[in-house]
Amino acid sequence: MSTRNIWNESAYFLGPKSENAAWFRAEFQSILDQWFDWRRALFGSDPSPIPPDMRLTAGFLAERELISQKVHELGVLMTGEVPKYTPRYIGHMVSELSIPALLGHFATLLHNPNNTSRDVSRVSGVVEDEAIAMLASMVGYDPSQAQGHFTSGGTLANFESVWRARYRMDHFLAMGLCVAETTGQPLDPVGAAHMGWEAYAQLSAAHSIAESDLRSASSVLGNPFEIAARIGAAAGREWRGPVLLVPGNKHFSWLKAANVFGLGEEAFWPIALDAQGRLSIPALRAAIHRAHEAGRPVLAVVSVAGTTEAGEIDPVDAVCDELEEWRVSGVDIWHHVDAAWGGFLCAMLGDEAESVLETHGRRALAAIRRVNSVTLDPHKLGYVPYACGAFLVRDKSNYANSAFAAPYIDRAASNDRWMMTLEGSRSGVGAAAIWLTGKTLTFGPDRFGGIMAGTIESRRFFSEALEAGEDLVRVLEPADSNILCFSLARHGERLSDSNARTAKAFQGFAADPEFSVSKTVLSRENYGELINAHVGRYGGECDTDSLVLLRCVFMNPFWRNKKIRAALMPQFIARLQTHID
Ligand SMILES: *Cc1c(COP(=O)(O)O)cnc(C)c1O
């Protein structure tokens, strides 16, 4: 097969021994030269405000000496940073950065564009649109229909989805309330909240509802307590607001969202997980019924593609099927996928790279193309520097977050984004890092997808070698992606004893400069079935409500290298054994 036999995508990284230093330095140099030349060429006849007799005086040269010393000092301080580039770092969701991403970031940083408005980002805003289109294609959206923007991270991208789902539901409820108050018919808040844009347009025409009426019935624009009282009066039942359905494997950003958007944490309903630690479809269906019986619509259903704890992938396809059934019966529910970790795994789809995934994961990732909106985190598996998240919607109409008059209007096509994003000023560096990655590595299955496949293969290799090398290792199954979790247990042992041993081993690693791993604790409240299955596999006894696990995140591209594997694997097992005793 092609060039893949000769080199692989790991060559796109600087390397733990700065192997690509000469190339990298040359590219940085040429970025700087271009930047210098750009300044020199523009307004060339203007006088220089800092001529040599100002810059090169003895006094200022002494100042420069100080700056030079302090830069060096900072550099020395930074050598104490966590060495996240090395394959010995398998702790959290960060590793080596790719060279294209660093170059895109740096080249744009020098121009300091603010993507909040085209007035201050003439070029960078266009780069952002193109980069969003690349990510849209990667997750299977039609890039001509999709829309989105870069955020400071996954948390903000998740917030963007709640903001928009709430905007949409507020429109539907306002329409329902106006129609009920106009006709004197009782309001069904659950039916109204899920009506969909088609019914919305029909009702608007049939009852000639004016925009001013809608505005006065909006709990986003008006006083939410007064509107709630009106909804309650029209419905003949107290209005308790919508609920947000999020699987119990959720990231804590969802609790923050419920809190910040004024839903109240009570409105945050965790959906039970199955024995694989994934969202359970029967539990989801039951939760929707329960909400509706309580007179509460569902603001959004969230599924997670790659959980933060163990990398599990929820059955996004089955959630889509379930919500499709609700939709045909007139209940349109917003579906968001939190793919902050696993979204980039979509790069593998459609080619042999995807064969490293189990059927379950393949189907789930392929179904992201069907959902309303998705969160990605380029600063995780995109190998892009912080801070860079992304929020995308499948269809432009889902991007709207304001304006009663014309919810379909693509407002972001105008000069300004600041109305469309939770954040105000936004750096263009992350968009450029993705843009340059997409133009070079490409987000296709043969290149970026190859890196992703390598991370999953590495997790598999490590997992098997670990089990073969140490009898106490109990790997958490299934591992849907590239995160490996394991506990340390003797056959038939009590969970509390195993937890103590695993926690002690983690303490050992925390004080050990050789390797970095992380720890996670799963609670019975959310992970009961998974914990039972895990402990059952070694004939253990569940005498406590949580499971302590060591967690290894395989995103470092160098673990696919056979020499690295051969050199580091035995060392890791040896360190683990010291930390057990
Ligand atoms: C990391 C992560 C987030 C939050 O992203 P930040 O970039 O840290 O804000 C949300 N959801 C999941 C599943 C994540 O892994």
Side-chain angles (χ1 to χ4, degrees):
M1 215 193 74
S2 67
T3 46
R4 283 279 290 283
N5 289 332
I6 305 164
W7 55 274
N8 69 38
E9 295 73 25
S10 315
Y12 278 90
F13 297 80
L14 177 59
K17 302 186 179 310
S18 298
E19 291 89 332
N20 272 321
W23 167 41
F24 194 52
R25 179 182 290 120
E27 293 298 344
F28 260 69
Q29 188 64 50
S30 84
I31 289 169
L32 282 173
D33 286 342
Q34 258 185 326
W35 189 55
F36 298 152
D37 291 345
W38 174 65
R39 291 173 167 239
R40 289 187 186 119
L42 267 180
F43 314 119
S45 60
D46 287 356
S48 167
I50 41 169
D53 60 4
M54 208 180 271
R55 286 181 281 120
L56 305 178
T57 61
F60 193 70
L61 288 180
E63 290 291 317
R64 274 178 39 176
E65 185 53 34
L66 176 70
I67 291 177
S68 188
Q69 274 172 20
K70 293 299 164 191
V71 168
H72 185 75
E73 204 176 304
L74 182 64
V76 170
L77 278 177
M78 285 295 160
T79 60
E81 255 305 342
V82 178
K84 299 177 285 284
Y85 60 84
T86 154
R88 290 168 179 269
Y89 183 88
I90 42 177
H92 292 284
M93 295 169 152
V94 56
S95 84
E96 176 77 311
L97 301 167
S98 81
I99 286 184
L102 276 166
L103 294 175
H105 182 103
F106 180 60
T108 305
L109 182 69
L110 295 177
H111 290 270
N112 194 30
N114 181 346
N115 286 9
T116 192
S117 159
R118 293 278 156 96
D119 294 352
V120 276
S121 62
R122 245 185 268 161
V123 176
S124 181
V126 178
V127 169
E128 175 167 20
D129 288 341
E130 291 182 12
I132 287 292
M134 293 171 181
L135 294 180
S137 298
M138 183 184 78
V139 299
Y141 285 163
D142 172 353
S144 70
Q145 296 305 308
Q147 197 166 353
H149 61 269
F150 288 86
T151 64
S152 68
T155 300
L156 257 289
N158 285 343
F159 279 26
E160 295 280 1
S161 75
V162 176
W163 197 26
R164 285 165 169 82
R166 187 177 68 151
Y167 158 88
R168 190 178 85 144
M169 184 173 281
D170 181 62
H171 273 60
F172 296 164
L173 271 171
M175 180 60 73
L177 182 56
C178 286
V179 170
E181 289 179 344
T182 307
T183 62
Q185 299 284 317
L187 169 65
D188 165 17
V190 171
H194 293 301
M195 69 172 62
W197 287 120
E198 224 170 280
Y200 177 87
Q202 282 165 7
L203 285 173
S204 173
H207 298 278
S208 313
I209 305 293
E211 193 197 333
S212 57
D213 294 334
L214 287 170
R215 295 181 74 88
S216 73
S218 159
S219 59
V220 173
L221 300 178
N223 180 312
F225 305 97
E226 284 169 18
I227 308 297
R230 274 169 65 189
I231 293 175
R237 177 180 192 174
E238 192 190 1
W239 169 241
R240 302 184 61 222
V243 297
L244 186 60
L245 301 184
V246 184
N249 57 19
K250 87 285 167 184
H251 187 268
F252 48 78
S253 54
W254 291 103
L255 253 194
K256 289 186 191 169
N259 188 320
V260 167
F261 284 97
L263 297 169
E265 290 185 9
E266 176 276 338
F268 178 93
W269 288 16
I271 311 167
L273 306 176
D274 62 17
Q276 281 80 40
R278 307 169 185 148
L279 176 152
S280 147
I281 298 292
L284 169 65
R285 189 178 307 141
I288 298 175
H289 280 297
R290 213 162 7 100
H292 288 180
E293 278 155 22
R296 305 180 71 175
V298 175
L299 183 64
V301 168
V302 174
S303 38
V304 183
T307 63
T308 315
E309 278 144 344
E312 294 111 340
I313 300 175
D314 282 335
V316 180
D317 49 330
V319 176
C320 287
D321 293 343
E322 174 67 23
L323 295 183
E324 191 52 38
E325 277 183 38
W326 286 93
R327 200 169 346 257
V328 293
S329 68
V331 177
D332 192 337
I333 300 177
W334 188 290
H335 184 189
H336 178 80
V337 175
D338 182 355
W341 177 248
F344 281 88
L345 299 177
C346 291
M348 293 185 290
L349 299 177
D351 199 31
E352 63 179 71
E354 71 173 32
S355 62
V356 299
L357 285 167
E358 306 289 337
T359 312
H360 159 79
R362 214 155 49 217
R363 288 197 180 137
L365 292 172
I368 293 179
R369 70 182 65 218
R370 297 168 62 189
V371 311
N372 295 80
S373 55
V374 62
T375 287
L376 299 171
D377 241 351
H379 65 206
K380 290 179 178 168
L381 276 177
Y383 303 100
V384 163
Y386 293 118
C388 183
F391 170 75
L392 281 82
V393 296
R394 185 191 60 217
D395 187 293
K396 287 180 168 57
S397 67
N398 284 331
Y399 196 61
N401 64 354
S402 57
F404 259 87
Y408 295 105
I409 286 187
D410 174 15
R411 298 188 125 223
S414 82
N415 255 357
D416 294 320
R417 288 262 195 174
W418 54 271
M419 282 296 289
M420 305 301 297
T421 59
L422 283 172
E423 290 158 275
S425 293
R426 286 181 310 117
S427 166
V429 293
I434 284 294
W435 187 89
L436 204 65
T437 307
K439 290 281 184 188
T440 54
L441 252 169
T442 77
F443 293 110
D446 55 336
R447 294 289 184 79
F448 202 88
I451 297 179
M452 295 296 100
T455 67
I456 294 178
E457 279 165 4
S458 299
R459 189 267 303 152
R460 195 166 288 145
F461 159 80
F462 194 95
S463 179
E464 286 165 8
L466 199 57
E467 282 181 312
E470 170 51 56
D471 288 346
L472 295 184
V473 165
R474 310 293 173 181
V475 169
L476 185 75
E477 291 171 19
D480 285 345
S481 60
N482 42 19
I483 297 179
L484 167 71
C485 290
F486 63 96
S487 62
L488 299 163
R490 288 188 206 291
H491 188 82
E493 184 174 57
R494 282 189 312 211
L495 180 55
S496 55
D497 291 335
S498 152
N499 280 348
R501 182 182 302 107
T502 311
K504 183 166 165 278
F506 175 72
Q507 290 310 322
F509 274 113
D512 181 348
E514 298 284 315
F515 288 94
S516 290
V517 302
S518 50
K519 184 184 84 170
T520 189
V521 181
L522 305 184
S523 71
R524 176 160 295 281
E525 187 188 352
N526 290 316
Y527 285 98
E529 290 193 47
L530 183 70
I531 294 175
N532 289 346
H534 181 75
V535 174
R537 244 174 267 127
Y538 60 83
E541 186 195 329
C542 281
D543 64 334
T544 183
D545 281 342
S546 58
L547 169 64
V548 178
L549 296 159
L550 287 173
R551 173 173 168 271
C552 304
V553 176
F554 286 90
M555 64 176 285
N556 187 293
F558 308 128
W559 266 104
R560 64 194 296 186
N561 184 291
K562 288 196 174 63
K563 286 186 183 156
I564 290 286
R565 289 180 179 184
L568 298 190
M569 197 66 229
Q571 289 186 44
F572 183 87
I573 293 171
R575 298 311 301 165
L576 175 65
Q577 287 167 341
T578 1
H579 300 321
I580 292 174
D581 298 331

Coordinates of all heavy atoms in Angstrom, one line a residue, residues 74-116:
L74 N 11.9 32.7 32.4 CA 10.5 32.1 32.2 C 10.7 30.7 31.6 O 10.1 29.7 31.9 CB 9.7 33.0 31.4 CG 8.2 32.5 31.1 CD1 7.4 32.4 32.4 CD2 7.5 33.4 30.1
G75 N 11.6 30.7 30.6 CA 11.9 29.4 29.9 C 12.4 28.4 30.9 O 12.0 27.2 30.8
V76 N 13.3 28.8 31.8 CA 13.8 27.8 32.8 C 12.7 27.4 33.7 O 12.5 26.2 34.0 CB 14.9 28.5 33.6 CG1 15.3 27.6 34.8 CG2 16.1 28.8 32.7
L77 N 11.8 28.3 34.1 CA 10.7 27.9 34.9 C 9.8 26.9 34.2 O 9.4 25.9 34.8 CB 9.8 29.2 35.2 CG 10.2 30.1 36.3 CD1 9.2 31.3 36.4 CD2 10.2 29.4 37.7
M78 N 9.6 27.1 32.9 CA 8.7 26.2 32.2 C 9.3 24.8 32.0 O 8.6 23.9 31.8 CB 8.5 26.8 30.8 CG 7.5 28.0 30.8 SD 5.9 27.4 31.3 CE 5.1 29.0 31.9
T79 N 10.6 24.7 32.2 CA 11.1 23.3 32.1 C 10.6 22.5 33.3 O 10.8 21.2 33.3 CB 12.7 23.3 32.1 OG1 13.1 23.9 33.3 CG2 13.3 24.0 30.9
G80 N 10.0 23.1 34.3 CA 9.4 22.4 35.4 C 7.9 22.0 35.0 O 7.3 21.3 35.8
E81 N 7.5 22.4 33.8 CA 6.1 22.0 33.4 C 5.9 20.5 33.3 O 6.9 19.8 33.1 CB 5.7 22.7 32.1 CG 4.8 23.9 32.2 CD 3.5 23.6 32.9 OE1 3.1 22.4 33.1 OE2 2.8 24.5 33.4
V82 N 4.7 20.1 33.3 CA 4.4 18.7 33.0 C 4.8 18.4 31.6 O 4.4 19.0 30.6 CB 2.9 18.5 33.1 CG1 2.5 17.0 32.8 CG2 2.4 18.9 34.5
P83 N 5.7 17.4 31.4 CA 6.1 17.1 30.0 C 5.0 16.2 29.3 O 5.1 15.0 29.2 CB 7.4 16.2 30.2 CG 7.2 15.6 31.6 CD 6.3 16.5 32.4
K84 N 4.1 16.9 28.7 CA 2.9 16.3 28.1 C 3.1 15.7 26.8 O 2.3 15.0 26.3 CB 1.7 17.3 28.1 CG 1.4 17.8 29.5 CD 0.3 18.9 29.5 CE 0.7 20.2 29.0 NZ 1.5 21.0 30.0
Y85 N 4.3 16.0 26.2 CA 4.5 15.6 24.8 C 5.0 14.1 24.8 O 4.9 13.4 23.8 CB 5.6 16.5 24.2 CG 6.9 16.4 24.9 CD1 7.8 15.4 24.7 CD2 7.2 17.4 25.9 CE1 9.0 15.4 25.5 CE2 8.3 17.3 26.7 CZ 9.2 16.3 26.4 OH 10.4 16.3 27.2
T86 N 5.6 13.7 25.9 CA 6.2 12.3 25.9 C 5.2 11.2 26.0 O 4.2 11.4 26.6 CB 7.3 12.2 27.1 OG1 7.4 10.8 27.4 CG2 6.8 12.9 28.3
P87 N 5.5 10.1 25.3 CA 4.5 9.0 25.5 C 4.4 8.4 26.9 O 3.5 7.7 27.2 CB 5.1 7.9 24.5 CG 6.5 8.3 24.2 CD 6.6 9.8 24.4
R88 N 5.3 8.9 27.8 CA 5.2 8.5 29.2 C 4.1 9.2 29.9 O 3.7 8.9 31.0 CB 6.5 8.8 29.9 CG 7.7 7.9 29.5 CD 9.0 8.4 30.1 NE 10.1 7.5 29.7 CZ 10.5 6.5 30.5 NH1 9.9 6.3 31.7 NH2 11.5 5.8 30.1
Y89 N 3.6 10.3 29.2 CA 2.4 11.0 29.8 C 1.2 10.4 29.2 O 0.8 10.6 28.0 CB 2.5 12.5 29.4 CG 1.4 13.3 30.1 CD1 1.5 13.8 31.4 CD2 0.1 13.4 29.4 CE1 0.4 14.4 32.0 CE2 -0.9 14.0 30.1 CZ -0.8 14.5 31.3 OH -1.8 15.1 31.9
I90 N 0.4 9.7 30.0 CA -0.9 9.1 29.6 C -1.9 9.5 30.7 O -2.8 8.7 31.0 CB -0.8 7.6 29.4 CG1 0.0 6.9 30.5 CG2 -0.2 7.3 28.0 CD1 0.1 5.4 30.3
G91 N -1.8 10.7 31.2 CA -2.6 11.1 32.3 C -3.9 11.7 31.9 O -5.0 11.0 32.1
H92 N -3.9 12.9 31.4 CA -5.2 13.5 31.0 C -5.3 13.7 29.5 O -4.5 13.2 28.8 CB -5.3 14.8 31.8 CG -5.5 14.7 33.3 ND1 -6.7 14.3 33.8 CD2 -4.6 14.8 34.3 CE1 -6.6 14.1 35.1 NE2 -5.3 14.4 35.4
M93 N -6.3 14.4 29.1 CA -6.6 14.5 27.7 C -5.8 15.6 27.0 O -6.3 16.6 26.4 CB -8.1 14.8 27.5 CG -9.0 13.7 28.0 SD -10.7 14.2 28.1 CE -11.5 12.6 27.9
V94 N -4.5 15.4 27.0 CA -3.6 16.4 26.4 C -2.3 15.6 26.1 O -2.0 14.7 26.8 CB -3.3 17.6 27.4 CG1 -2.8 17.1 28.7 CG2 -2.5 18.6 26.7
S95 N -1.7 16.0 25.0 CA -0.4 15.4 24.7 C 0.4 16.3 23.7 O 0.3 17.5 23.8 CB -0.7 14.0 24.1 OG -0.9 14.1 22.7
E96 N 1.2 15.7 22.9 CA 2.0 16.4 21.9 C 1.0 17.2 21.0 O -0.1 16.7 20.7 CB 2.7 15.3 21.1 CG 3.5 15.8 19.9 CD 4.9 16.4 20.3 OE1 4.8 17.3 21.2 OE2 5.9 16.1 19.7
L97 N 1.5 18.3 20.6 CA 0.7 19.1 19.6 C 1.2 18.9 18.2 O 2.4 18.6 18.0 CB 0.8 20.6 19.9 CG 0.4 21.0 21.3 CD1 0.9 22.4 21.7 CD2 -1.1 20.9 21.5
S98 N 0.3 19.0 17.2 CA 0.8 18.7 15.8 C 1.5 20.0 15.3 O 1.2 21.1 15.7 CB -0.3 18.3 14.9 OG -1.0 19.5 14.5
I99 N 2.5 19.8 14.4 CA 3.2 20.9 13.8 C 2.3 21.8 13.0 O 2.3 23.0 13.2 CB 4.4 20.4 13.0 CG1 5.5 19.9 14.0 CG2 5.0 21.5 12.1 CD1 6.8 19.5 13.4
P100 N 1.4 21.2 12.2 CA 0.5 22.2 11.5 C -0.4 23.0 12.4 O -0.6 24.2 12.2 CB -0.4 21.2 10.7 CG 0.4 20.0 10.5 CD 1.2 19.9 11.7
A101 N -0.8 22.4 13.5 CA -1.7 23.2 14.5 C -0.8 24.3 15.1 O -1.3 25.4 15.2 CB -2.2 22.3 15.5
L102 N 0.4 24.0 15.5 CA 1.2 25.0 16.1 C 1.5 26.1 15.2 O 1.5 27.3 15.5 CB 2.5 24.4 16.6 CG 2.5 23.7 18.0 CD1 3.7 22.8 18.2 CD2 2.4 24.8 19.1
L103 N 1.8 25.8 13.9 CA 2.2 26.8 12.9 C 1.0 27.7 12.6 O 1.1 28.9 12.5 CB 2.7 26.1 11.6 CG 4.0 25.4 11.8 CD1 4.4 24.7 10.5 CD2 5.2 26.4 12.2
G104 N -0.2 27.1 12.5 CA -1.4 27.9 12.2 C -1.7 28.8 13.4 O -2.1 30.0 13.2
H105 N -1.6 28.3 14.6 CA -1.8 29.0 15.8 C -0.8 30.2 15.8 O -1.3 31.4 16.0 CB -1.6 28.1 17.0 CG -1.8 28.7 18.3 ND1 -2.9 28.5 19.1 CD2 -1.1 29.6 19.1 CE1 -2.9 29.2 20.2 NE2 -1.7 29.8 20.2
F106 N 0.4 30.0 15.6 CA 1.5 31.0 15.8 C 1.3 32.1 14.7 O 1.4 33.3 14.9 CB 2.9 30.3 15.7 CG 4.0 31.3 15.9 CD1 4.1 32.1 17.0 CD2 5.0 31.4 14.9 CE1 5.2 32.9 17.1 CE2 6.0 32.3 15.0 CZ 6.1 33.0 16.1
A107 N 1.1 31.6 13.4 CA 1.0 32.6 12.3 C -0.1 33.5 12.5 O 0.0 34.7 12.2 CB 0.9 31.8 11.0
T108 N -1.2 33.0 13.1 CA -2.4 33.9 13.4 C -2.2 34.7 14.6 O -2.7 35.9 14.6 CB -3.6 33.0 13.5 OG1 -3.6 32.2 12.3 CG2 -4.9 33.8 13.6
L109 N -1.6 34.2 15.6 CA -1.3 34.9 16.9 C -0.7 36.3 16.6 O -1.0 37.3 17.2 CB -0.4 34.0 17.8 CG -0.1 34.6 19.1 CD1 -1.3 34.6 20.0 CD2 1.0 33.7 19.8
L110 N 0.3 36.3 15.6 CA 1.0 37.5 15.4 C 0.1 38.6 14.8 O 0.4 39.8 15.0 CB 2.1 37.2 14.4 CG 3.2 36.2 14.9 CD1 4.2 35.9 13.7 CD2 3.9 36.8 16.1
H111 N -1.0 38.2 14.1 CA -1.9 39.2 13.6 C -3.0 39.5 14.5 O -3.8 40.5 14.3 CB -2.4 38.6 12.2 CG -1.4 38.6 11.2 ND1 -1.2 39.6 10.3 CD2 -0.5 37.6 10.8 CE1 -0.2 39.3 9.5 NE2 0.2 38.1 9.8
N112 N -3.1 38.8 15.6 CA -4.1 39.0 16.7 C -5.5 39.4 16.2 O -6.1 40.4 16.6 CB -3.5 40.2 17.5 CG -4.3 40.3 18.9 OD1 -4.8 39.3 19.4 ND2 -4.4 41.5 19.4
P113 N -6.1 38.6 15.3 CA -7.5 38.9 14.9 C -8.5 38.6 16.0 O -8.2 37.7 16.9 CB -7.7 37.9 13.7 CG -6.8 36.8 14.0 CD -5.6 37.3 14.7
N114 N -9.6 39.3 16.0 CA -10.7 39.1 17.0 C -11.9 38.6 16.1 O -12.5 39.4 15.5 CB -11.0 40.3 17.8 CG -12.1 40.1 18.8 OD1 -12.8 39.1 18.7 ND2 -12.2 41.1 19.7
N115 N -12.2 37.3 16.2 CA -13.3 36.8 15.3 C -14.7 37.2 15.8 O -15.6 36.8 15.2 CB -13.2 35.3 15.3 CG -12.0 34.8 14.4 OD1 -11.2 35.7 14.0 ND2 -11.9 33.6 14.1
T116 N -14.8 38.1 16.7 CA -16.1 38.6 17.1 C -16.7 39.3 16.0 O -18.0 39.4 15.9 CB -16.0 39.4 18.4 OG1 -17.3 39.6 18.9 CG2 -15.4 40.8 18.2

